[in-house]
Amino acid sequence: GKAIHMDAPIVRNWKNASKYTKGTYYFLVFSIFITFWGIRSLRYNHGSVWLTCTALECTLELKPPYGKNKATLQFARKHLVASYPVKVDKDGKFQEVDKTGGMGNYGGPGQGRGGRNNKKAKYRKGPDIHGWYDSYSIHLKPQITVVVNDQGGDDDDATYPNPNIQPGRTDTTKISDITSQLQTVSSEYYGRGTQDDKDKDNYIFYMRQFNLGKSRRRTRTQTTKVESYIAGRRHKLTLKENSGLAWQGVLAIVFGIFTFILTLLLGQFADEPKGFHAAKSKREEQQLRERRRRQQQQQARYGGGSSGVRRANPSINKRSTVGTQRRGY
């Protein structure tokens, strides 16, 4: 025989739902999708370069935008050897060391090199008259020599023998090499020193990879922190350079949340059961039938028609006739 096909209850309810209910669910799904898209857009377009250092080691985190693989480097404190304010182009490529200390040359009266109002230049986010942006670099030495004592401690010194050696303690040297870690990072995020450079073998990372023209911090302030850490005047260092939030993602999140709340307040998620309408019409039909039955009974009892009121009381009509005859009419 022929098989009987039956839809699932949820499919059957959806087919029988009203347009208003279906529209509510359409708006609900749309609001959730646009909010999710906004969050994903913020994460997809976000890039950052973080340098976090403690008393013994540092961690450099590179998180490129557009879904590229991130890189994390962990190295000893002595691998960090220098930091300079630099000028880069719009693509983040090195142009020159910034000898103005982050003041820049932005043009205009009193805002060039040595101008009276150079203090205002630190708040300039855009490029200078050459089209270059302020940034700063950190220099990592791939191989260093550290001194380790026989107690397992690290003297954090690159010289040997240790001038502060204590009697009864033997110090040895070891090589700390992070070349293999550095080679895992894409070459587009660092540079190498030239043969004429004093740090020709060093790896140079430019911290403002993804936020050129967006940060208001002076580059000289950042490099001063790094220099203090290298010299041992401070034992903690945190540098964070983050790209700005994409306005499309922010707008999508706000619009999605607003649509979601509005849908919850004004939407209809279920129709009234059809049995309710059927029962209501059935009761009305029974009442109407009962009303008609009573009217028919009254008409049958009193003769019906428009004169039914007069015929309803024949005894009264008879008494009124007898009274009239007695008066002599």
Side-chain angles (χ1 to χ4, degrees), residues 275-314:
F276 174 79
H277 294 286
K280 185 177 179 181
S281 60
K282 189 174 182 180
R283 286 196 303 269
E284 290 179 352
E285 185 178 355
Q286 289 178 352
Q287 293 175 359
L288 181 60
R289 224 179 0 249
E290 183 68 20
R291 192 180 304 114
R292 288 178 179 176
R293 186 180 65 80
R294 290 178 181 177
Q295 290 180 358
Q296 290 176 359
Q297 288 178 354
Q298 290 180 359
Q299 291 177 2
R301 181 182 302 174
Y302 304 123
S306 60
S307 60
V309 177
R310 295 181 182 178
R311 297 176 181 176
N313 297 313

mmCIF file of all heavy atoms in Angstrom, residues 275-314:
data_model
loop_
_atom_site.group_PDB
_atom_site.id
_atom_site.type_symbol
_atom_site.label_atom_id
_atom_site.label_comp_id
_atom_site.label_asym_id
_atom_site.label_seq_id
_atom_site.Cartn_x
_atom_site.Cartn_y
_atom_site.Cartn_z
ATOM 1 N N GLY A 275 -8.213 25.484 18.124
ATOM 2 C CA GLY A 275 -9.292 24.911 18.900
ATOM 3 C C GLY A 275 -10.020 25.931 19.735
ATOM 4 O O GLY A 275 -11.221 25.817 20.001
ATOM 5 N N PHE A 276 -9.300 26.986 20.159
ATOM 6 C CA PHE A 276 -9.925 28.041 20.945
ATOM 7 C C PHE A 276 -10.963 28.784 20.118
ATOM 8 O O PHE A 276 -12.081 29.034 20.561
ATOM 9 C CB PHE A 276 -8.850 28.999 21.438
ATOM 10 C CG PHE A 276 -9.386 30.199 22.140
ATOM 11 C CD1 PHE A 276 -9.808 30.123 23.456
ATOM 12 C CD2 PHE A 276 -9.478 31.420 21.476
ATOM 13 C CE1 PHE A 276 -10.308 31.244 24.102
ATOM 14 C CE2 PHE A 276 -9.974 32.527 22.124
ATOM 15 C CZ PHE A 276 -10.391 32.440 23.441
ATOM 16 N N HIS A 277 -10.616 29.111 18.876
ATOM 17 C CA HIS A 277 -11.570 29.803 18.011
ATOM 18 C C HIS A 277 -12.758 28.896 17.688
ATOM 19 O O HIS A 277 -13.912 29.345 17.638
ATOM 20 C CB HIS A 277 -10.880 30.243 16.720
ATOM 21 C CG HIS A 277 -9.822 31.281 16.952
ATOM 22 N ND1 HIS A 277 -10.108 32.578 17.241
ATOM 23 C CD2 HIS A 277 -8.467 31.181 16.944
ATOM 24 C CE1 HIS A 277 -8.987 33.269 17.387
ATOM 25 N NE2 HIS A 277 -7.977 32.439 17.212
ATOM 26 N N ALA A 278 -12.470 27.609 17.468
ATOM 27 C CA ALA A 278 -13.557 26.690 17.148
ATOM 28 C C ALA A 278 -14.513 26.552 18.324
ATOM 29 O O ALA A 278 -15.739 26.554 18.160
ATOM 30 C CB ALA A 278 -12.980 25.328 16.770
ATOM 31 N N ALA A 279 -13.939 26.439 19.520
ATOM 32 C CA ALA A 279 -14.799 26.314 20.706
ATOM 33 C C ALA A 279 -15.612 27.580 20.922
ATOM 34 O O ALA A 279 -16.796 27.541 21.280
ATOM 35 C CB ALA A 279 -13.950 26.000 21.929
ATOM 36 N N LYS A 280 -14.976 28.719 20.677
ATOM 37 C CA LYS A 280 -15.686 29.983 20.871
ATOM 38 C C LYS A 280 -16.843 30.110 19.876
ATOM 39 O O LYS A 280 -17.968 30.462 20.261
ATOM 40 C CB LYS A 280 -14.709 31.134 20.701
ATOM 41 C CG LYS A 280 -15.297 32.492 20.993
ATOM 42 C CD LYS A 280 -14.245 33.564 20.875
ATOM 43 C CE LYS A 280 -14.836 34.936 21.139
ATOM 44 N NZ LYS A 280 -13.820 36.010 21.009
ATOM 45 N N SER A 281 -16.595 29.803 18.609
ATOM 46 C CA SER A 281 -17.671 29.889 17.617
ATOM 47 C C SER A 281 -18.754 28.847 17.887
ATOM 48 O O SER A 281 -19.944 29.090 17.648
ATOM 49 C CB SER A 281 -17.086 29.700 16.220
ATOM 50 O OG SER A 281 -16.460 28.427 16.117
ATOM 51 N N LYS A 282 -18.344 27.709 18.415
ATOM 52 C CA LYS A 282 -19.334 26.684 18.723
ATOM 53 C C LYS A 282 -20.252 27.125 19.855
ATOM 54 O O LYS A 282 -21.472 26.924 19.805
ATOM 55 C CB LYS A 282 -18.613 25.391 19.098
ATOM 56 C CG LYS A 282 -19.536 24.199 19.235
ATOM 57 C CD LYS A 282 -18.733 22.930 19.466
ATOM 58 C CE LYS A 282 -19.665 21.729 19.563
ATOM 59 N NZ LYS A 282 -18.912 20.483 19.784
ATOM 60 N N ARG A 283 -19.674 27.780 20.870
ATOM 61 C CA ARG A 283 -20.496 28.289 21.971
ATOM 62 C C ARG A 283 -21.449 29.375 21.478
ATOM 63 O O ARG A 283 -22.619 29.419 21.856
ATOM 64 C CB ARG A 283 -19.597 28.834 23.079
ATOM 65 C CG ARG A 283 -18.900 27.760 23.902
ATOM 66 C CD ARG A 283 -18.362 28.346 25.200
ATOM 67 N NE ARG A 283 -17.460 29.462 24.951
ATOM 68 C CZ ARG A 283 -16.150 29.326 24.806
ATOM 69 N NH1 ARG A 283 -15.609 28.104 24.869
ATOM 70 N NH2 ARG A 283 -15.388 30.363 24.599
ATOM 71 N N GLU A 284 -20.932 30.244 20.622
ATOM 72 C CA GLU A 284 -21.790 31.293 20.086
ATOM 73 C C GLU A 284 -22.922 30.689 19.251
ATOM 74 O O GLU A 284 -24.069 31.147 19.304
ATOM 75 C CB GLU A 284 -20.954 32.252 19.240
ATOM 76 C CG GLU A 284 -19.988 33.105 20.058
ATOM 77 C CD GLU A 284 -19.183 34.007 19.166
ATOM 78 O OE1 GLU A 284 -19.276 33.835 17.926
ATOM 79 O OE2 GLU A 284 -18.476 34.880 19.699
ATOM 80 N N GLU A 285 -22.599 29.641 18.501
ATOM 81 C CA GLU A 285 -23.624 29.006 17.690
ATOM 82 C C GLU A 285 -24.678 28.320 18.561
ATOM 83 O O GLU A 285 -25.887 28.389 18.287
ATOM 84 C CB GLU A 285 -22.970 27.982 16.764
ATOM 85 C CG GLU A 285 -23.934 27.341 15.778
ATOM 86 C CD GLU A 285 -23.246 26.376 14.846
ATOM 87 O OE1 GLU A 285 -21.996 26.291 14.917
ATOM 88 O OE2 GLU A 285 -23.955 25.711 14.075
ATOM 89 N N GLN A 286 -24.232 27.703 19.651
ATOM 90 C CA GLN A 286 -25.183 27.076 20.566
ATOM 91 C C GLN A 286 -26.081 28.119 21.225
ATOM 92 O O GLN A 286 -27.299 27.915 21.377
ATOM 93 C CB GLN A 286 -24.436 26.270 21.625
ATOM 94 C CG GLN A 286 -23.767 24.999 21.092
ATOM 95 C CD GLN A 286 -23.000 24.269 22.169
ATOM 96 O OE1 GLN A 286 -22.845 24.783 23.276
ATOM 97 N NE2 GLN A 286 -22.526 23.059 21.837
ATOM 98 N N GLN A 287 -25.466 29.245 21.631
ATOM 99 C CA GLN A 287 -26.261 30.312 22.232
ATOM 100 C C GLN A 287 -27.276 30.870 21.240
ATOM 101 O O GLN A 287 -28.432 31.158 21.596
ATOM 102 C CB GLN A 287 -25.341 31.427 22.740
ATOM 103 C CG GLN A 287 -24.464 31.016 23.921
ATOM 104 C CD GLN A 287 -23.502 32.111 24.308
ATOM 105 O OE1 GLN A 287 -23.481 33.168 23.680
ATOM 106 N NE2 GLN A 287 -22.711 31.851 25.334
ATOM 107 N N LEU A 288 -26.847 31.073 19.992
ATOM 108 C CA LEU A 288 -27.763 31.574 18.980
ATOM 109 C C LEU A 288 -28.895 30.568 18.723
ATOM 110 O O LEU A 288 -30.069 30.953 18.582
ATOM 111 C CB LEU A 288 -27.004 31.857 17.690
ATOM 112 C CG LEU A 288 -27.815 32.416 16.519
ATOM 113 C CD1 LEU A 288 -28.460 33.745 16.907
ATOM 114 C CD2 LEU A 288 -26.943 32.587 15.291
ATOM 115 N N ARG A 289 -28.558 29.282 18.681
ATOM 116 C CA ARG A 289 -29.567 28.265 18.482
ATOM 117 C C ARG A 289 -30.558 28.220 19.644
ATOM 118 O O ARG A 289 -31.773 28.078 19.458
ATOM 119 C CB ARG A 289 -28.879 26.893 18.321
ATOM 120 C CG ARG A 289 -29.486 26.101 17.176
ATOM 121 C CD ARG A 289 -28.864 24.764 16.915
ATOM 122 N NE ARG A 289 -27.787 24.335 17.734
ATOM 123 C CZ ARG A 289 -26.536 24.212 17.327
ATOM 124 N NH1 ARG A 289 -26.224 24.563 16.091
ATOM 125 N NH2 ARG A 289 -25.592 23.767 18.117
ATOM 126 N N GLU A 290 -30.018 28.367 20.878
ATOM 127 C CA GLU A 290 -30.880 28.373 22.055
ATOM 128 C C GLU A 290 -31.806 29.584 22.041
ATOM 129 O O GLU A 290 -32.993 29.499 22.393
ATOM 130 C CB GLU A 290 -30.018 28.371 23.316
ATOM 131 C CG GLU A 290 -30.800 28.303 24.608
ATOM 132 C CD GLU A 290 -31.502 26.975 24.785
ATOM 133 O OE1 GLU A 290 -31.098 25.986 24.124
ATOM 134 O OE2 GLU A 290 -32.479 26.920 25.559
ATOM 135 N N ARG A 291 -31.253 30.731 21.611
ATOM 136 C CA ARG A 291 -32.064 31.944 21.549
ATOM 137 C C ARG A 291 -33.183 31.794 20.532
ATOM 138 O O ARG A 291 -34.326 32.193 20.763
ATOM 139 C CB ARG A 291 -31.182 33.150 21.203
ATOM 140 C CG ARG A 291 -31.884 34.487 21.409
ATOM 141 C CD ARG A 291 -30.975 35.642 21.059
ATOM 142 N NE ARG A 291 -29.736 35.595 21.816
ATOM 143 C CZ ARG A 291 -28.536 35.403 21.274
ATOM 144 N NH1 ARG A 291 -28.433 35.211 19.953
ATOM 145 N NH2 ARG A 291 -27.463 35.389 22.029
ATOM 146 N N ARG A 292 -32.876 31.218 19.378
ATOM 147 C CA ARG A 292 -33.904 31.007 18.349
ATOM 148 C C ARG A 292 -34.958 29.997 18.823
ATOM 149 O O ARG A 292 -36.153 30.143 18.545
ATOM 150 C CB ARG A 292 -33.251 30.499 17.068
ATOM 151 C CG ARG A 292 -32.453 31.568 16.333
ATOM 152 C CD ARG A 292 -31.793 30.992 15.101
ATOM 153 N NE ARG A 292 -31.043 32.019 14.379
ATOM 154 C CZ ARG A 292 -30.292 31.768 13.292
ATOM 155 N NH1 ARG A 292 -30.228 30.507 12.834
ATOM 156 N NH2 ARG A 292 -29.655 32.741 12.690
ATOM 157 N N ARG A 293 -34.519 28.962 19.541
ATOM 158 C CA ARG A 293 -35.466 27.973 20.037
ATOM 159 C C ARG A 293 -36.445 28.594 21.027
ATOM 160 O O ARG A 293 -37.652 28.337 20.986
ATOM 161 C CB ARG A 293 -34.698 26.826 20.701
ATOM 162 C CG ARG A 293 -35.589 25.635 21.143
ATOM 163 C CD ARG A 293 -34.747 24.568 21.772
ATOM 164 N NE ARG A 293 -34.147 25.057 22.990
ATOM 165 C CZ ARG A 293 -34.807 25.133 24.166
ATOM 166 N NH1 ARG A 293 -36.064 24.758 24.242
ATOM 167 N NH2 ARG A 293 -34.199 25.579 25.234
ATOM 168 N N ARG A 294 -35.940 29.479 21.877
ATOM 169 C CA ARG A 294 -36.823 30.151 22.832
ATOM 170 C C ARG A 294 -37.807 31.070 22.128
ATOM 171 O O ARG A 294 -38.983 31.157 22.497
ATOM 172 C CB ARG A 294 -36.001 30.944 23.840
ATOM 173 C CG ARG A 294 -35.223 30.074 24.813
ATOM 174 C CD ARG A 294 -34.386 30.927 25.742
ATOM 175 N NE ARG A 294 -33.612 30.092 26.657
ATOM 176 C CZ ARG A 294 -32.754 30.578 27.545
ATOM 177 N NH1 ARG A 294 -32.556 31.911 27.607
ATOM 178 N NH2 ARG A 294 -32.094 29.768 28.340
ATOM 179 N N GLN A 295 -37.338 31.777 21.103
ATOM 180 C CA GLN A 295 -38.234 32.641 20.342
ATOM 181 C C GLN A 295 -39.328 31.825 19.646
ATOM 182 O O GLN A 295 -40.498 32.211 19.614
ATOM 183 C CB GLN A 295 -37.433 33.455 19.323
ATOM 184 C CG GLN A 295 -36.552 34.528 19.934
ATOM 185 C CD GLN A 295 -35.781 35.291 18.880
ATOM 186 O OE1 GLN A 295 -35.889 34.978 17.689
ATOM 187 N NE2 GLN A 295 -35.046 36.298 19.314
ATOM 188 N N GLN A 296 -38.936 30.674 19.090
ATOM 189 C CA GLN A 296 -39.928 29.825 18.430
ATOM 190 C C GLN A 296 -40.954 29.286 19.435
ATOM 191 O O GLN A 296 -42.142 29.191 19.128
ATOM 192 C CB GLN A 296 -39.222 28.668 17.722
ATOM 193 C CG GLN A 296 -38.417 29.091 16.500
ATOM 194 C CD GLN A 296 -37.653 27.941 15.886
ATOM 195 O OE1 GLN A 296 -37.717 26.809 16.404
ATOM 196 N NE2 GLN A 296 -36.948 28.222 14.792
ATOM 197 N N GLN A 297 -40.496 28.959 20.645
ATOM 198 C CA GLN A 297 -41.423 28.495 21.669
ATOM 199 C C GLN A 297 -42.419 29.588 22.056
ATOM 200 O O GLN A 297 -43.625 29.341 22.232
ATOM 201 C CB GLN A 297 -40.669 28.012 22.899
ATOM 202 C CG GLN A 297 -39.935 26.698 22.695
ATOM 203 C CD GLN A 297 -39.170 26.285 23.930
ATOM 204 O OE1 GLN A 297 -39.108 27.048 24.912
ATOM 205 N NE2 GLN A 297 -38.602 25.074 23.916
ATOM 206 N N GLN A 298 -41.918 30.813 22.191
ATOM 207 C CA GLN A 298 -42.802 31.924 22.515
ATOM 208 C C GLN A 298 -43.801 32.179 21.395
ATOM 209 O O GLN A 298 -44.993 32.428 21.643
ATOM 210 C CB GLN A 298 -41.977 33.184 22.786
ATOM 211 C CG GLN A 298 -41.179 33.135 24.085
ATOM 212 C CD GLN A 298 -40.386 34.401 24.298
ATOM 213 O OE1 GLN A 298 -40.439 35.300 23.459
ATOM 214 N NE2 GLN A 298 -39.691 34.466 25.414
ATOM 215 N N GLN A 299 -43.351 32.122 20.173
ATOM 216 C CA GLN A 299 -44.257 32.325 19.050
ATOM 217 C C GLN A 299 -45.312 31.218 18.975
ATOM 218 O O GLN A 299 -46.482 31.466 18.666
ATOM 219 C CB GLN A 299 -43.456 32.389 17.744
ATOM 220 C CG GLN A 299 -42.598 33.630 17.608
ATOM 221 C CD GLN A 299 -41.774 33.615 16.328
ATOM 222 O OE1 GLN A 299 -41.890 32.672 15.549
ATOM 223 N NE2 GLN A 299 -40.978 34.650 16.125
ATOM 224 N N ALA A 300 -44.857 29.981 19.261
ATOM 225 C CA ALA A 300 -45.824 28.880 19.239
ATOM 226 C C ALA A 300 -46.838 28.997 20.381
ATOM 227 O O ALA A 300 -47.998 28.635 20.248
ATOM 228 C CB ALA A 300 -45.089 27.551 19.315
ATOM 229 N N ARG A 301 -46.415 29.501 21.508
ATOM 230 C CA ARG A 301 -47.302 29.620 22.660
ATOM 231 C C ARG A 301 -48.306 30.751 22.469
ATOM 232 O O ARG A 301 -49.478 30.623 22.821
ATOM 233 C CB ARG A 301 -46.486 29.850 23.915
ATOM 234 C CG ARG A 301 -47.324 29.976 25.186
ATOM 235 C CD ARG A 301 -46.448 30.242 26.378
ATOM 236 N NE ARG A 301 -45.447 29.176 26.536
ATOM 237 C CZ ARG A 301 -44.480 29.229 27.438
ATOM 238 N NH1 ARG A 301 -44.389 30.288 28.224
ATOM 239 N NH2 ARG A 301 -43.621 28.241 27.539
ATOM 240 N N TYR A 302 -47.854 31.877 21.946
ATOM 241 C CA TYR A 302 -48.733 33.040 21.851
ATOM 242 C C TYR A 302 -49.242 33.305 20.433
ATOM 243 O O TYR A 302 -49.777 34.358 20.154
ATOM 244 C CB TYR A 302 -48.021 34.286 22.372
ATOM 245 C CG TYR A 302 -47.511 34.117 23.777
ATOM 246 C CD1 TYR A 302 -46.179 34.293 24.080
ATOM 247 C CD2 TYR A 302 -48.404 33.768 24.799
ATOM 248 C CE1 TYR A 302 -45.736 34.140 25.372
ATOM 249 C CE2 TYR A 302 -47.965 33.619 26.088
ATOM 250 C CZ TYR A 302 -46.620 33.801 26.382
ATOM 251 O OH TYR A 302 -46.172 33.646 27.665
ATOM 252 N N GLY A 303 -49.029 32.430 19.508
ATOM 253 C CA GLY A 303 -49.604 32.560 18.167
ATOM 254 C C GLY A 303 -48.716 33.230 17.166
ATOM 255 O O GLY A 303 -49.052 33.307 15.986
ATOM 256 N N GLY A 304 -47.609 33.763 17.602
ATOM 257 C CA GLY A 304 -46.658 34.370 16.653
ATOM 258 C C GLY A 304 -47.170 35.638 16.061
ATOM 259 O O GLY A 304 -48.247 36.122 16.354
ATOM 260 N N GLY A 305 -46.460 36.188 15.140
ATOM 261 C CA GLY A 305 -46.862 37.408 14.447
ATOM 262 C C GLY A 305 -46.615 38.630 15.277
ATOM 263 O O GLY A 305 -46.228 38.583 16.444
ATOM 264 N N SER A 306 -46.978 39.791 14.697
ATOM 265 C CA SER A 306 -46.769 41.070 15.382
ATOM 266 C C SER A 306 -47.804 41.310 16.453
ATOM 267 O O SER A 306 -47.612 42.115 17.341
ATOM 268 C CB SER A 306 -46.799 42.212 14.355
ATOM 269 O OG SER A 306 -48.050 42.225 13.696
ATOM 270 N N SER A 307 -48.998 40.645 16.377
ATOM 271 C CA SER A 307 -50.049 40.827 17.376
ATOM 272 C C SER A 307 -49.958 39.818 18.496
ATOM 273 O O SER A 307 -50.919 39.555 19.188
ATOM 274 C CB SER A 307 -51.435 40.722 16.708
ATOM 275 O OG SER A 307 -51.575 39.436 16.119
ATOM 276 N N GLY A 308 -48.824 39.241 18.637
ATOM 277 C CA GLY A 308 -48.654 38.236 19.659
ATOM 278 C C GLY A 308 -48.797 38.794 21.047
ATOM 279 O O GLY A 308 -49.161 38.096 21.979
ATOM 280 N N VAL A 309 -48.501 40.081 21.229
ATOM 281 C CA VAL A 309 -48.598 40.676 22.562
ATOM 282 C C VAL A 309 -50.047 40.755 22.985
ATOM 283 O O VAL A 309 -50.402 40.474 24.118
ATOM 284 C CB VAL A 309 -47.958 42.069 22.562
ATOM 285 C CG1 VAL A 309 -48.105 42.741 23.918
ATOM 286 C CG2 VAL A 309 -46.482 41.958 22.183
ATOM 287 N N ARG A 310 -50.900 41.137 22.071
ATOM 288 C CA ARG A 310 -52.327 41.206 22.400
ATOM 289 C C ARG A 310 -52.904 39.817 22.650
ATOM 290 O O ARG A 310 -53.715 39.634 23.533
ATOM 291 C CB ARG A 310 -53.092 41.877 21.264
ATOM 292 C CG ARG A 310 -52.701 43.317 21.070
ATOM 293 C CD ARG A 310 -53.513 43.923 19.936
ATOM 294 N NE ARG A 310 -53.124 45.289 19.712
ATOM 295 C CZ ARG A 310 -53.647 46.064 18.753
ATOM 296 N NH1 ARG A 310 -54.581 45.557 17.943
ATOM 297 N NH2 ARG A 310 -53.251 47.315 18.602
ATOM 298 N N ARG A 311 -52.486 38.868 21.851
ATOM 299 C CA ARG A 311 -53.026 37.527 21.995
ATOM 300 C C ARG A 311 -52.412 36.773 23.181
ATOM 301 O O ARG A 311 -52.852 35.698 23.516
ATOM 302 C CB ARG A 311 -52.798 36.724 20.722
ATOM 303 C CG ARG A 311 -53.509 37.304 19.516
ATOM 304 C CD ARG A 311 -53.179 36.527 18.288
ATOM 305 N NE ARG A 311 -53.840 37.084 17.107
ATOM 306 C CZ ARG A 311 -53.669 36.631 15.862
ATOM 307 N NH1 ARG A 311 -52.851 35.598 15.670
ATOM 308 N NH2 ARG A 311 -54.302 37.187 14.829
ATOM 309 N N ALA A 312 -51.400 37.356 23.704
ATOM 310 C CA ALA A 312 -50.740 36.657 24.805
ATOM 311 C C ALA A 312 -51.596 36.648 26.048
ATOM 312 O O ALA A 312 -51.459 35.765 26.883
ATOM 313 C CB ALA A 312 -49.388 37.318 25.091
ATOM 314 N N ASN A 313 -52.552 37.604 26.219
ATOM 315 C CA ASN A 313 -53.399 37.677 27.406
ATOM 316 C C ASN A 313 -54.881 37.748 26.987
ATOM 317 O O ASN A 313 -55.508 38.809 27.056
ATOM 318 C CB ASN A 313 -53.035 38.903 28.258
ATOM 319 C CG ASN A 313 -51.604 38.814 28.781
ATOM 320 O OD1 ASN A 313 -51.212 37.777 29.292
ATOM 321 N ND2 ASN A 313 -50.865 39.898 28.630
ATOM 322 N N PRO A 314 -55.468 36.629 26.543
ATOM 323 C CA PRO A 314 -56.878 36.680 26.098
ATOM 324 C C PRO A 314 -57.827 36.951 27.240
ATOM 325 O O PRO A 314 -58.875 37.538 27.061
ATOM 326 C CB PRO A 314 -57.080 35.290 25.496
ATOM 327 C CG PRO A 314 -56.029 34.432 26.132
ATOM 328 C CD PRO A 314 -54.858 35.305 26.372
#
